[in-house]
């Protein structure tokens, strides 16, 4: 199984981070990575991400911007 993130701008168009991560072996690895690097992705112009397993969307889009609760 391959897990991968798709990166988008707020309008849903594709965005590419400066250092694309490639595929991950597990969902946990993919989620840990996004938890560590999301501020860098925002700085690269990425607004939201979706997680895919072998080409099938698992969830998303998920905003990388903080919300005011």
């Amino acid at each position: 199984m391959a897990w991968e993130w798709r990166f988008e701008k707020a309008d849903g168009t594709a965005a590419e981070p400066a250092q694309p991560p490639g595929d991950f072996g597990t969902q946990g690895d993919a989620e840990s990575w996004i938890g560590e690097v999301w501020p860098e992705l925002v700085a690269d112009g990425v607004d939201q991400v979706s997680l895919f397993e072998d080409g099938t969307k698992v969830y998303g889009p998920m905003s990388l911007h903080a919300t005011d609760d």
Side-chain angles (χ1 to χ4, degrees), residues 5-68:
W5 290 105
R6 300 261 173 98
F7 308 97
E8 300 177 345
K9 297 184 183 296
D11 64 4
T13 58
E16 288 300 321
Q19 301 269 331
D23 296 341
F24 298 90
T26 68
Q27 182 175 359
D29 289 344
E31 291 171 340
S32 292
W33 179 84
I34 204 80
E36 293 172 10
V37 303
W38 69 266
E40 296 165 33
L41 294 172
V42 171
D44 289 342
V46 177
D47 295 310
Q48 59 192 24
V49 295
S50 296
L51 183 62
F52 287 77
E53 178 188 15
D54 293 329
T56 301
K57 185 187 281 189
V58 177
Y59 62 81
M62 176 178 69
S63 176
L64 297 180
H65 297 279
T67 59
D68 295 328

